[in-house]
Amino acid sequence: MGAIYLVRHGQASFGAADYDVLSDLGRTQARAAGVELLRRGLVVTQARCGTLSRQRATAELALAEVAPEVAAENDTRWNEYDHVDIAAHHGGGAAQDSADPRAYQGALEKALTAWVEAGADSPCAETWPAFLTRVRGAFDDVVTSLGKGEQAVVFTSGGVIATLCGDLLGDPVTGLLTLNRVTVNAGVTKVVTGRSGTTLLSFNEHGHFDGEAAHLLTYR
């Protein structure tokens, strides 16, 4: 069987002027994810990532550890939903506040629910059906490109990973709205694919942030 490893980006700069930049901790997390993939003995035959800065930086730092000869192919379809646009149209314009991240998370989850419920009628630049279609397309392309026993790694975001995992389990909406809130920075999700189809094998693994590395564990 082939395997696809979906890696969430490291911690971004929540509450800063430019969210889409890895924090110092996020850079450490990205390297740790690469070390973990190396420990597992991955032979990376292809790598992909979104075009967001936090995704590309995570790919660069992690691949330097596990497969320095491999460069990630950039693909906008792996980008996260636009949380600013969604919050503006469905969340009363809620803004990131580094002093109260839980309040923002609660507001964003309500906005995401409204975004999904609005469907194609959402005023956002990208609707939920459009988002689902593009991430499915990105994922299907990786699945079909894998040869027997090959391993791919994709560096993307929590909403994308949660949606795809939900989709594999039969309910992408629940994936987005439930799994998304528990994705950890630089966590690893594994999907296997073969003659019997494509199967979610593990979600949001973060054993590389246990024990002495527990201080590296973050969700936002």
Side-chain angles (χ1 to χ4, degrees):
M1 292 188 295
I4 302 168
Y5 293 81
L6 303 173
V7 180
R8 188 188 177 202
H9 61 77
Q11 184 188 62
S13 299
F14 186 86
D18 186 359
Y19 169 75
D20 191 26
V21 176
L22 288 185
S23 66
D24 289 342
L25 177 58
R27 295 178 67 82
T28 300
Q29 292 167 334
R31 294 188 189 96
V35 170
E36 170 61 15
L37 295 177
L38 178 64
R39 184 194 67 79
R40 298 185 186 196
L42 256 70
V43 177
V44 179
T45 54
Q46 61 173 288
R48 304 193 188 190
C49 69
T51 61
L52 300 176
S53 176
R54 61 190 184 272
Q55 298 169 336
R56 290 185 288 108
T58 299
E60 180 180 350
L61 291 165
L63 287 172
E65 301 292 343
V66 64
E69 74 287 355
V70 177
E73 176 185 335
N74 294 345
D75 185 342
T76 58
R77 294 177 299 173
W78 288 106
N79 288 358
E80 182 66 292
Y81 52 73
D82 188 339
H83 66 278
V84 175
D85 194 32
I86 292 171
H89 287 100
H90 296 289
Q96 290 184 358
D97 181 359
S98 58
D100 194 357
R102 289 186 179 182
Y104 175 76
Q105 183 62 32
L108 178 60
E109 288 179 4
K110 291 180 181 178
L112 286 171
T113 299
W115 179 57
V116 169
E117 291 176 347
D121 293 327
S122 170
C124 290
E126 181 177 50
T127 64
W128 159 248
F131 173 77
L132 180 58
T133 296
R134 76 165 164 89
V135 300
R136 278 174 169 169
F139 181 73
D140 288 346
D141 277 358
V142 177
V143 171
T144 57
S145 70
L146 279 183
K148 183 178 180 180
E150 291 187 337
Q151 298 174 322
V153 60
V154 179
F155 301 90
T156 182
S157 295
V160 175
I161 294 170
T163 297
L164 289 173
C165 289
D167 205 24
L168 289 168
L169 295 173
D171 189 351
V173 172
T174 297
L176 174 70
L177 300 180
T178 302
L179 299 180
N180 189 22
R181 67 169 65 106
V182 298
T183 56
V184 304
N185 291 120
V188 178
T189 292
K190 183 177 181 180
V191 176
V192 293
T193 182
R195 291 181 180 178
S196 59
T198 303
T199 304
L200 176 63
L201 192 63
S202 68
F203 167 69
N204 201 35
E205 294 180 69
H206 51 279
H208 45 302
F209 299 137
D210 283 344
E212 294 181 356
H215 64 286
L216 297 178
L217 178 65
T218 61
Y219 293 85
R220 299 290 175 266

